[in-house]
PDB file of all heavy atoms in Angstrom:
ATOM      1  N   ALA H 163      26.309  64.926   2.847  1.00  0.00           N
ATOM      2  CA  ALA H 163      26.011  64.921   1.419  1.00  0.00           C
ATOM      3  C   ALA H 163      26.655  63.720   0.732  1.00  0.00           C
ATOM      4  O   ALA H 163      26.047  63.071  -0.130  1.00  0.00           O
ATOM      5  CB  ALA H 163      26.495  66.217   0.777  1.00  0.00           C
ATOM      6  N   ILE H 164      27.877  63.391   1.132  1.00  0.00           N
ATOM      7  CA  ILE H 164      28.575  62.252   0.541  1.00  0.00           C
ATOM      8  C   ILE H 164      27.865  60.946   0.881  1.00  0.00           C
ATOM      9  O   ILE H 164      27.613  60.107   0.010  1.00  0.00           O
ATOM     10  CB  ILE H 164      30.037  62.199   1.033  1.00  0.00           C
ATOM     11  CG1 ILE H 164      30.830  63.370   0.448  1.00  0.00           C
ATOM     12  CG2 ILE H 164      30.690  60.869   0.661  1.00  0.00           C
ATOM     13  CD1 ILE H 164      32.184  63.547   1.082  1.00  0.00           C
ATOM     14  N   VAL H 165      27.524  60.765   2.160  1.00  0.00           N
ATOM     15  CA  VAL H 165      26.842  59.541   2.587  1.00  0.00           C
ATOM     16  C   VAL H 165      25.507  59.410   1.857  1.00  0.00           C
ATOM     17  O   VAL H 165      25.146  58.327   1.379  1.00  0.00           O
ATOM     18  CB  VAL H 165      26.645  59.530   4.115  1.00  0.00           C
ATOM     19  CG1 VAL H 165      25.799  58.326   4.542  1.00  0.00           C
ATOM     20  CG2 VAL H 165      27.994  59.496   4.830  1.00  0.00           C
ATOM     21  N   SER H 166      24.778  60.517   1.749  1.00  0.00           N
ATOM     22  CA  SER H 166      23.485  60.485   1.055  1.00  0.00           C
ATOM     23  C   SER H 166      23.650  60.199  -0.430  1.00  0.00           C
ATOM     24  O   SER H 166      22.851  59.468  -1.035  1.00  0.00           O
ATOM     25  CB  SER H 166      22.757  61.818   1.248  1.00  0.00           C
ATOM     26  OG  SER H 166      22.469  62.049   2.610  1.00  0.00           O
ATOM     27  N   MET H 167      24.688  60.779  -1.043  1.00  0.00           N
ATOM     28  CA  MET H 167      24.933  60.566  -2.465  1.00  0.00           C
ATOM     29  C   MET H 167      25.237  59.090  -2.756  1.00  0.00           C
ATOM     30  O   MET H 167      24.700  58.506  -3.701  1.00  0.00           O
ATOM     31  CB  MET H 167      26.095  61.437  -2.941  1.00  0.00           C
ATOM     32  CG  MET H 167      26.506  61.213  -4.381  1.00  0.00           C
ATOM     33  SD  MET H 167      27.702  62.443  -4.980  1.00  0.00           S
ATOM     34  CE  MET H 167      29.029  62.288  -3.782  1.00  0.00           C
ATOM     35  N   VAL H 168      26.077  58.491  -1.924  1.00  0.00           N
ATOM     36  CA  VAL H 168      26.426  57.088  -2.126  1.00  0.00           C
ATOM     37  C   VAL H 168      25.197  56.208  -1.918  1.00  0.00           C
ATOM     38  O   VAL H 168      24.948  55.275  -2.688  1.00  0.00           O
ATOM     39  CB  VAL H 168      27.556  56.661  -1.174  1.00  0.00           C
ATOM     40  CG1 VAL H 168      27.859  55.172  -1.335  1.00  0.00           C
ATOM     41  CG2 VAL H 168      28.818  57.474  -1.442  1.00  0.00           C
ATOM     42  N   ALA H 169      24.405  56.523  -0.899  1.00  0.00           N
ATOM     43  CA  ALA H 169      23.187  55.752  -0.651  1.00  0.00           C
ATOM     44  C   ALA H 169      22.239  55.853  -1.839  1.00  0.00           C
ATOM     45  O   ALA H 169      21.639  54.862  -2.267  1.00  0.00           O
ATOM     46  CB  ALA H 169      22.502  56.247   0.625  1.00  0.00           C
ATOM     47  N   GLY H 170      22.123  57.065  -2.397  1.00  0.00           N
ATOM     48  CA  GLY H 170      21.245  57.260  -3.541  1.00  0.00           C
ATOM     49  C   GLY H 170      21.695  56.453  -4.748  1.00  0.00           C
ATOM     50  O   GLY H 170      20.881  55.841  -5.442  1.00  0.00           O
ATOM     51  N   MET H 171      22.994  56.412  -4.996  1.00  0.00           N
ATOM     52  CA  MET H 171      23.513  55.644  -6.127  1.00  0.00           C
ATOM     53  C   MET H 171      23.264  54.151  -5.935  1.00  0.00           C
ATOM     54  O   MET H 171      23.030  53.416  -6.900  1.00  0.00           O
ATOM     55  CB  MET H 171      25.006  55.897  -6.295  1.00  0.00           C
ATOM     56  CG  MET H 171      25.345  57.258  -6.863  1.00  0.00           C
ATOM     57  SD  MET H 171      24.671  57.523  -8.529  1.00  0.00           S
ATOM     58  CE  MET H 171      25.433  56.178  -9.421  1.00  0.00           C
ATOM     59  N   ALA H 172      23.301  53.702  -4.707  1.00  0.00           N
ATOM     60  CA  ALA H 172      23.129  52.273  -4.437  1.00  0.00           C
ATOM     61  C   ALA H 172      21.722  51.782  -4.733  1.00  0.00           C
ATOM     62  O   ALA H 172      21.508  50.587  -4.940  1.00  0.00           O
ATOM     63  CB  ALA H 172      23.485  51.980  -2.976  1.00  0.00           C
ATOM     64  N   VAL H 173      20.749  52.701  -4.757  1.00  0.00           N
ATOM     65  CA  VAL H 173      19.359  52.282  -4.985  1.00  0.00           C
ATOM     66  C   VAL H 173      18.779  52.863  -6.271  1.00  0.00           C
ATOM     67  O   VAL H 173      17.569  52.811  -6.487  1.00  0.00           O
ATOM     68  CB  VAL H 173      18.459  52.688  -3.786  1.00  0.00           C
ATOM     69  CG1 VAL H 173      18.953  52.050  -2.507  1.00  0.00           C
ATOM     70  CG2 VAL H 173      18.400  54.210  -3.620  1.00  0.00           C
ATOM     71  N   SER H 174      19.654  53.383  -7.149  1.00  0.00           N
ATOM     72  CA  SER H 174      19.160  54.139  -8.302  1.00  0.00           C
ATOM     73  C   SER H 174      19.209  53.373  -9.616  1.00  0.00           C
ATOM     74  O   SER H 174      19.403  53.959 -10.673  1.00  0.00           O
ATOM     75  CB  SER H 174      19.961  55.437  -8.454  1.00  0.00           C
ATOM     76  OG  SER H 174      21.323  55.134  -8.701  1.00  0.00           O
ATOM     77  N   ASP H 175      19.019  52.065  -9.580  1.00  0.00           N
ATOM     78  CA  ASP H 175      19.110  51.241 -10.790  1.00  0.00           C
ATOM     79  C   ASP H 175      18.312  51.800 -11.962  1.00  0.00           C
ATOM     80  O   ASP H 175      18.773  51.825 -13.105  1.00  0.00           O
ATOM     81  CB  ASP H 175      18.596  49.823 -10.496  1.00  0.00           C
ATOM     82  CG  ASP H 175      19.337  49.165  -9.350  1.00  0.00           C
ATOM     83  OD1 ASP H 175      19.382  49.773  -8.270  1.00  0.00           O
ATOM     84  OD2 ASP H 175      19.862  48.061  -9.546  1.00  0.00           O
ATOM     85  N   ARG H 176      17.105  52.241 -11.703  1.00  0.00           N
ATOM     86  CA  ARG H 176      16.199  52.628 -12.779  1.00  0.00           C
ATOM     87  C   ARG H 176      16.472  54.024 -13.331  1.00  0.00           C
ATOM     88  O   ARG H 176      15.848  54.447 -14.302  1.00  0.00           O
ATOM     89  CB  ARG H 176      14.751  52.548 -12.295  1.00  0.00           C
ATOM     90  CG  ARG H 176      14.327  51.122 -11.951  1.00  0.00           C
ATOM     91  CD  ARG H 176      12.889  51.062 -11.502  1.00  0.00           C
ATOM     92  NE  ARG H 176      12.492  49.697 -11.170  1.00  0.00           N
ATOM     93  CZ  ARG H 176      11.294  49.364 -10.707  1.00  0.00           C
ATOM     94  NH1 ARG H 176      10.377  50.305 -10.526  1.00  0.00           N
ATOM     95  NH2 ARG H 176      11.017  48.098 -10.423  1.00  0.00           N
ATOM     96  N   SER H 177      17.391  54.752 -12.732  1.00  0.00           N
ATOM     97  CA  SER H 177      17.680  56.107 -13.224  1.00  0.00           C
ATOM     98  C   SER H 177      18.695  56.092 -14.359  1.00  0.00           C
ATOM     99  O   SER H 177      18.976  57.125 -14.944  1.00  0.00           O
ATOM    100  CB  SER H 177      18.196  56.986 -12.074  1.00  0.00           C
ATOM    101  OG  SER H 177      19.444  56.522 -11.608  1.00  0.00           O
ATOM    102  N   PHE H 178      19.237  54.918 -14.693  1.00  0.00           N
ATOM    103  CA  PHE H 178      20.189  54.792 -15.793  1.00  0.00           C
ATOM    104  C   PHE H 178      19.540  54.021 -16.930  1.00  0.00           C
ATOM    105  O   PHE H 178      19.027  52.916 -16.731  1.00  0.00           O
ATOM    106  CB  PHE H 178      21.453  54.070 -15.333  1.00  0.00           C
ATOM    107  CG  PHE H 178      22.316  54.877 -14.405  1.00  0.00           C
ATOM    108  CD1 PHE H 178      22.084  54.868 -13.034  1.00  0.00           C
ATOM    109  CD2 PHE H 178      23.347  55.667 -14.903  1.00  0.00           C
ATOM    110  CE1 PHE H 178      22.863  55.617 -12.180  1.00  0.00           C
ATOM    111  CE2 PHE H 178      24.131  56.413 -14.053  1.00  0.00           C
ATOM    112  CZ  PHE H 178      23.890  56.403 -12.689  1.00  0.00           C
ATOM    113  N   GLU H 179      19.578  54.597 -18.106  1.00  0.00           N
ATOM    114  CA  GLU H 179      18.901  54.010 -19.259  1.00  0.00           C
ATOM    115  C   GLU H 179      19.405  52.601 -19.567  1.00  0.00           C
ATOM    116  O   GLU H 179      18.632  51.710 -19.935  1.00  0.00           O
ATOM    117  CB  GLU H 179      19.096  54.906 -20.486  1.00  0.00           C
ATOM    118  CG  GLU H 179      18.373  54.410 -21.727  1.00  0.00           C
ATOM    119  CD  GLU H 179      18.577  55.331 -22.914  1.00  0.00           C
ATOM    120  OE1 GLU H 179      19.243  56.384 -22.739  1.00  0.00           O
ATOM    121  OE2 GLU H 179      18.086  55.003 -24.005  1.00  0.00           O
ATOM    122  N   HIS H 180      20.701  52.391 -19.413  1.00  0.00           N
ATOM    123  CA  HIS H 180      21.286  51.099 -19.756  1.00  0.00           C
ATOM    124  C   HIS H 180      21.721  50.321 -18.517  1.00  0.00           C
ATOM    125  O   HIS H 180      22.604  49.466 -18.596  1.00  0.00           O
ATOM    126  CB  HIS H 180      22.472  51.297 -20.697  1.00  0.00           C
ATOM    127  CG  HIS H 180      22.110  52.001 -21.967  1.00  0.00           C
ATOM    128  ND1 HIS H 180      21.262  51.448 -22.915  1.00  0.00           N
ATOM    129  CD2 HIS H 180      22.445  53.234 -22.428  1.00  0.00           C
ATOM    130  CE1 HIS H 180      21.115  52.291 -23.917  1.00  0.00           C
ATOM    131  NE2 HIS H 180      21.813  53.390 -23.653  1.00  0.00           N
ATOM    132  N   GLY H 181      21.114  50.619 -17.382  1.00  0.00           N
ATOM    133  CA  GLY H 181      21.440  49.901 -16.162  1.00  0.00           C
ATOM    134  C   GLY H 181      22.506  50.599 -15.341  1.00  0.00           C
ATOM    135  O   GLY H 181      23.269  51.432 -15.843  1.00  0.00           O
ATOM    136  N   LEU H 182      22.561  50.263 -14.075  1.00  0.00           N
ATOM    137  CA  LEU H 182      23.516  50.872 -13.155  1.00  0.00           C
ATOM    138  C   LEU H 182      24.943  50.533 -13.567  1.00  0.00           C
ATOM    139  O   LEU H 182      25.248  49.379 -13.874  1.00  0.00           O
ATOM    140  CB  LEU H 182      23.252  50.352 -11.735  1.00  0.00           C
ATOM    141  CG  LEU H 182      23.938  51.077 -10.574  1.00  0.00           C
ATOM    142  CD1 LEU H 182      23.329  52.465 -10.403  1.00  0.00           C
ATOM    143  CD2 LEU H 182      23.790  50.268  -9.284  1.00  0.00           C
ATOM    144  N   PRO H 183      25.836  51.537 -13.625  1.00  0.00           N
ATOM    145  CA  PRO H 183      27.246  51.249 -13.924  1.00  0.00           C
ATOM    146  C   PRO H 183      27.822  50.290 -12.888  1.00  0.00           C
ATOM    147  O   PRO H 183      27.230  50.068 -11.833  1.00  0.00           O
ATOM    148  CB  PRO H 183      27.906  52.631 -13.845  1.00  0.00           C
ATOM    149  CG  PRO H 183      26.796  53.608 -14.066  1.00  0.00           C
ATOM    150  CD  PRO H 183      25.578  52.978 -13.457  1.00  0.00           C
ATOM    151  N   SER H 184      29.004  49.763 -13.173  1.00  0.00           N
ATOM    152  CA  SER H 184      29.611  48.815 -12.238  1.00  0.00           C
ATOM    153  C   SER H 184      29.935  49.494 -10.916  1.00  0.00           C
ATOM    154  O   SER H 184      30.113  50.726 -10.842  1.00  0.00           O
ATOM    155  CB  SER H 184      30.886  48.220 -12.825  1.00  0.00           C
ATOM    156  OG  SER H 184      31.930  49.188 -12.837  1.00  0.00           O
ATOM    157  N   ARG H 185      30.028  48.687  -9.905  1.00  0.00           N
ATOM    158  CA  ARG H 185      30.337  49.188  -8.567  1.00  0.00           C
ATOM    159  C   ARG H 185      31.644  49.974  -8.568  1.00  0.00           C
ATOM    160  O   ARG H 185      31.740  51.062  -7.989  1.00  0.00           O
ATOM    161  CB  ARG H 185      30.410  48.005  -7.610  1.00  0.00           C
ATOM    162  CG  ARG H 185      30.735  48.360  -6.152  1.00  0.00           C
ATOM    163  CD  ARG H 185      32.172  48.100  -5.821  1.00  0.00           C
ATOM    164  NE  ARG H 185      32.407  48.149  -4.394  1.00  0.00           N
ATOM    165  CZ  ARG H 185      33.607  48.345  -3.842  1.00  0.00           C
ATOM    166  NH1 ARG H 185      34.664  48.522  -4.632  1.00  0.00           N
ATOM    167  NH2 ARG H 185      33.758  48.357  -2.538  1.00  0.00           N
ATOM    168  N   ASP H 186      32.690  49.449  -9.224  1.00  0.00           N
ATOM    169  CA  ASP H 186      33.994  50.112  -9.218  1.00  0.00           C
ATOM    170  C   ASP H 186      33.957  51.453  -9.943  1.00  0.00           C
ATOM    171  O   ASP H 186      34.623  52.406  -9.523  1.00  0.00           O
ATOM    172  CB  ASP H 186      35.051  49.206  -9.855  1.00  0.00           C
ATOM    173  CG  ASP H 186      35.379  48.003  -8.972  1.00  0.00           C
ATOM    174  OD1 ASP H 186      35.029  48.035  -7.776  1.00  0.00           O
ATOM    175  OD2 ASP H 186      35.984  47.043  -9.487  1.00  0.00           O
ATOM    176  N   VAL H 187      33.208  51.527 -11.034  1.00  0.00           N
ATOM    177  CA  VAL H 187      33.089  52.793 -11.766  1.00  0.00           C
ATOM    178  C   VAL H 187      32.433  53.849 -10.879  1.00  0.00           C
ATOM    179  O   VAL H 187      32.887  54.996 -10.806  1.00  0.00           O
ATOM    180  CB  VAL H 187      32.281  52.606 -13.064  1.00  0.00           C
ATOM    181  CG1 VAL H 187      31.895  53.959 -13.666  1.00  0.00           C
ATOM    182  CG2 VAL H 187      33.082  51.791 -14.069  1.00  0.00           C
ATOM    183  N   ILE H 188      31.353  53.468 -10.211  1.00  0.00           N
ATOM    184  CA  ILE H 188      30.651  54.402  -9.324  1.00  0.00           C
ATOM    185  C   ILE H 188      31.563  54.880  -8.210  1.00  0.00           C
ATOM    186  O   ILE H 188      31.665  56.087  -7.928  1.00  0.00           O
ATOM    187  CB  ILE H 188      29.393  53.734  -8.733  1.00  0.00           C
ATOM    188  CG1 ILE H 188      28.354  53.494  -9.835  1.00  0.00           C
ATOM    189  CG2 ILE H 188      28.790  54.594  -7.619  1.00  0.00           C
ATOM    190  CD1 ILE H 188      27.178  52.667  -9.389  1.00  0.00           C
TER     191      ILE H 188
END
Side-chain angles (χ1 to χ4, degrees):
I164 291 169
V165 174
S166 297
M167 175 171 56
V168 177
M171 287 298 301
V173 301
S174 62
D175 303 55
R176 295 181 180 178
S177 66
F178 289 87
E179 183 179 357
H180 301 294
L182 193 69
S184 72
R185 180 259 193 200
D186 290 344
V187 168
I188 292 172

